[in-house]
Amino acid sequence: MDVINTLILTGAALLVASIFTSLISFRIGAPLLLVFLMVGLGAGEDGLGIEFDHAPTAFFVGSVALALILFDSGFHTPAASWRAAAGPAVMLATLGVVVTTAIVGVAAHLILGFSWPLSLLLAAIVSSTDAAAVFFLLRVGGIHLRDKIRSTLEIESGSNDPVAILLTLVLAEMAVGGIDAVEPAAMALTLVASLAGGLAAGAVGGFLIVGVVNRFRLDAGLVPVVVLALALLVFGATNVAGASGYLAVYVAGLIAGNSRLTGAESLRRFQAGLTWLAQIFMFVTLGLLATPSQFPKLALPALGLAAVLIFVARPLAVWMCLLPFRFSRFETAFAAWVGLRGAVSILLALVPMMAGLPEGRALFDMVFMIVIVSLVVQGWTIRPIARFLKLIVPPRAGPVERIELELPGPVDCEIVGYTVRDNSPVARGQRLPRWARPSLILRGREVLNVHTARHLKPGDHVYLFTSPGKVPLLDRLFAGAREIPADDVLLYGDFALSPDVTAGWVAEMYGQPLAVENAQTTLAELFRAEYRDDIEIGDRLAFGSLSLIVRDMQDGHIAQVGLALEPLPDARPRLPLFQTGGELRAALRGLWARIRS
């Protein structure tokens, strides 16, 4: 019992020490992950005297923590990021890892005099960038980059682990059993099967998570627990099947995060705290396993390899991989610099120890020092380098708070809160559409409504009910940094139409089915039927797969109607397009005839 209590006390003390030390690191700009490693080193056998020398336990803790981090990183990666950066990111995650391994392996052979399998094993261990380090330094560190380069770096760090892990396992087998222990063809086949299996398992797991959460009405407190359990189930099952569990759990998070998920916002908040906890436990545990007293005798070769990795191998690999994708030289230089090594490299450094290699402990200590050098040299300078290369862009402020409302039926609504920015459109006097009017305004200690507040001022906290489809427009109104022009496509539609245009003309021009009795109704009459005499600029109506928007008014009458080809999901659909199934079939036949002609 005393041992258990001591373990609980020690673990809690290390956790608290890591948290409060991280507060200091924010002020001095130190990478948080380096701080957590230092806490582990300081508490280890060469520091406070905590003895921890069980590599399998450390590998288990690190694997579970990394699975949680990768799921969360995929969950927070928009699908648009993949569309923008999938090509270069995949090249870096595959060819980039192989090129880095080859260059660092040659350097290790020349500097350390190791055999080729052992040299390449050391190189493979440090070949992949670390998802935890990259995500935390770019997101938690508040570094706002252009979408293409940021998405490339984040996706690369989340998807390059499978190649590095497979190379490490194969080269460890070669180091133990000799070069003839592995056939190149079998190695390539294993790599392809591991990646394909990870992708397939991740896709199945992602849709499984979405289906379970949305289909079964679970208690709100159980939703995060179920998602966590299913994510770990995907990770473990994929690994048992011989595929890449790390890739699978990342893909599962990517699919779940880009789907309509019940309780998504509360789930994000839960995962944010859980990811912090996983980061701290993983890095402190790995720090406890290291032996700083052994570092001096390996310091020079470790520094030499770190220099080759940072200044030669990573830049060459990035240049080769990004050459076909039209990155600017500044973006390529920054991608080369953000080659952060972290928990994955230290975890993989446990493989030689668990495989029984005599050089296992030396390899672990050397990799540990390389990671520290990477976090100090690269992690501490990411912001200055990004600023020097002119890659930092103004932040795109969004909701400061989102609270989902569980309403009966298929209603999808939530409360969104913003802090009005100095240069935002509403602070400059932008007229608010009725659907964007706040329900509550906090100005200092005053509680106001939209009528008593009159004009919104910078620093006001505004809260309003809305649906998820309108949040991007609300972001631009309340927290955007640019003035919205009068012809803005998202707010006012792609084209301007006369209010006297008939619904039948619009339906015929844009292939929308329409009931015959509605054909001669003008657009102005459609709005009057819905809004009576209370029509305002920005009011919307759904028209089939289009949206109609009041774009301008003169003397209380609609002067111009905007037509949006991609409407908001919740534009008010109040126009009966069909009265009978026969009219629907006739309209579809007419549309097909126009397509064929």
Side-chain angles (χ1 to χ4, degrees):
M1 185 66 71
D2 289 339
V3 175
I4 295 176
N5 291 331
T6 302
L7 288 175
I8 294 174
L9 175 63
T10 303
L14 289 175
L15 180 60
V16 171
S18 300
I19 293 171
F20 281 98
T21 307
S22 68
L23 299 179
I24 300 174
S25 74
F26 275 120
R27 298 193 174 189
I28 64 176
L32 285 177
L33 308 183
L34 177 63
V35 172
F36 300 151
L37 278 179
M38 292 299 104
V39 170
L41 284 175
E45 59 181 281
D46 287 341
L48 296 179
I50 299 176
E51 295 186 6
F52 177 71
D53 193 25
H54 197 258
T57 300
F59 192 83
F60 170 76
V61 171
S63 297
V64 173
L66 189 58
L68 298 177
I69 293 166
L70 285 173
F71 179 81
D72 184 64
S73 64
F75 198 87
H76 285 86
T77 300
S81 297
W82 262 96
R83 289 192 291 269
V90 171
M91 284 288 288
L92 287 171
T94 52
L95 180 62
V97 171
V98 174
V99 171
T100 302
T101 300
I103 295 174
V104 178
V106 172
H109 181 69
L110 296 176
I111 294 174
L112 298 169
F114 283 167
S115 64
W116 280 111
L118 201 58
S119 300
L120 291 172
L121 172 60
L122 175 58
I125 290 172
V126 296
S127 62
S128 67
T129 58
D130 186 69
V134 172
F135 274 88
F136 268 68
L137 285 172
L138 292 184
R139 293 185 179 179
V140 179
I143 301 175
H144 301 277
L145 302 171
R146 294 174 182 173
D147 287 341
K148 187 177 180 181
I149 185 65
R150 176 187 55 80
S151 299
T152 298
L153 292 171
E154 290 184 353
I155 294 172
E156 177 212 1
S157 67
S159 58
N160 63 4
D161 296 334
V163 177
I165 291 170
L166 182 63
L167 286 175
T168 299
L169 295 176
V170 170
L171 290 167
E173 188 175 346
M174 291 175 62
V176 173
I179 297 179
D180 297 334
V182 177
E183 296 181 1
M187 176 180 171
L189 184 61
T190 302
L191 173 62
V192 172
S194 178
L195 295 177
L199 284 172
V204 172
F207 289 117
L208 173 66
I209 291 172
V210 174
V212 168
V213 172
N214 289 342
R215 183 177 180 84
F216 300 101
R217 298 191 63 84
L218 301 169
D219 183 87
L222 274 179
V223 171
V225 179
V226 170
V227 172
L228 170 65
L230 290 174
L232 291 177
L233 179 66
V234 170
F235 175 71
T238 308
N239 282 331
V240 169
S244 173
Y246 295 102
L247 180 60
V249 77
Y250 176 78
V251 172
L254 186 69
I255 291 174
N258 285 280
S259 302
R260 298 294 292 272
L261 203 63
T262 302
E265 289 307 312
S266 59
L267 179 59
R268 284 186 171 89
R269 288 192 290 270
F270 172 83
Q271 287 182 177
L274 184 64
T275 304
W276 273 106
L277 186 64
Q279 291 277 13
I280 294 172
F281 265 106
M282 176 172 60
F283 278 86
V284 171
T285 301
L286 296 175
L288 286 171
L289 193 63
T291 310
S293 60
Q294 301 298 314
F295 288 177
K297 62 182 180 182
L298 299 171
L300 286 179
L303 288 174
L305 289 177
V308 171
L309 177 63
I310 294 172
F311 298 107
V312 181
R314 172 70 178 179
L316 281 176
V318 169
W319 178 77
M320 289 177 61
C321 293
L322 298 187
L323 191 60
F325 296 101
R326 298 181 180 178
F327 280 79
S328 70
R329 66 179 186 276
F330 287 164
E331 290 173 331
T332 302
F334 186 74
W337 191 250
V338 188
L340 292 159
R341 269 58 191 175
V344 176
S345 296
I346 300 176
L347 277 178
L348 292 180
L350 297 174
V351 172
M353 294 175 61
M354 293 187 293
L357 281 172
E359 302 87 354
R361 170 55 72 172
L363 289 179
F364 178 83
D365 290 336
M366 200 172 303
V367 169
F368 200 98
M369 285 187 284
I370 291 173
V371 169
I372 291 177
V373 171
S374 175
L375 291 176
V376 170
V377 175
Q378 296 170 293
W380 219 315
T381 58
I382 282 183
R383 184 183 293 274
I385 292 294
R387 188 179 295 112
F388 174 75
L389 296 175
K390 296 181 173 59
L391 296 178
I392 292 182
V393 297
R396 297 178 178 179
V400 295
E401 185 178 5
R402 294 180 67 173
I403 305 171
E404 289 186 88
L405 302 177
E406 293 291 339
L407 300 176
V411 181
D412 194 3
C413 190
E414 60 189 43
I415 300 175
V416 185
Y418 295 88
T419 300
V420 178
R421 295 182 57 183
D422 289 340
N423 297 321
S424 63
V426 293
R428 295 182 178 186
Q430 170 77 39
R431 180 184 177 89
L432 288 175
R434 75 173 74 227
W435 51 264
R437 289 176 184 169
S439 303
L440 177 69
I441 301 168
L442 298 180
R443 181 175 294 164
R445 295 187 177 182
E446 290 185 271
V447 179
L448 309 172
N449 59 42
V450 70
H451 303 292
T452 57
R454 296 187 179 179
H455 300 295
L456 292 175
K457 298 179 180 180
D460 285 352
H461 300 281
V462 298
Y463 296 88
L464 63 158
F465 292 90
T466 187
S467 60
K470 286 179 179 173
V471 169
L473 287 180
L474 295 173
D475 288 352
R476 302 175 68 203
L477 286 168
F478 291 103
R482 298 178 181 177
E483 187 174 356
I484 298 178
D487 58 350
D488 182 78
V489 170
L490 288 179
L491 201 60
Y492 298 113
D494 301 272
F495 307 105
L497 301 176
S498 168
D500 298 324
V501 167
T502 64
W505 183 87
V506 175
E508 184 176 358
M509 288 295 295
Y510 294 96
Q512 302 299 308
L514 184 71
V516 175
E517 58 269 29
N518 295 320
Q520 298 305 313
T521 306
T522 67
L523 302 187
E525 290 170 345
L526 292 180
F527 278 98
R528 278 198 297 271
E530 175 60 33
Y531 293 99
R532 306 291 181 183
D533 294 326
D534 187 27
I535 302 174
E536 297 182 2
I537 293 177
D539 285 343
R540 291 174 172 257
L541 281 177
F543 189 92
S545 63
L546 311 174
S547 260
L548 300 174
I549 308 157
V550 177
R551 196 165 187 169
D552 189 21
M553 295 191 67
Q554 300 291 336
D555 300 325
H557 299 283
I558 300 175
Q560 203 173 58
V561 175
L563 179 69
L565 301 180
E566 295 184 6
L568 293 177
D570 54 351
R572 295 171 69 172
R574 301 295 181 260
L575 179 65
L577 297 181
F578 308 110
Q579 299 298 330
T580 66
E583 290 183 3
L584 172 59
R585 289 190 293 272
L588 291 175
R589 284 196 296 269
L591 178 61
W592 175 243
R594 286 199 298 273
I595 293 173
R596 293 183 61 185
S597 61

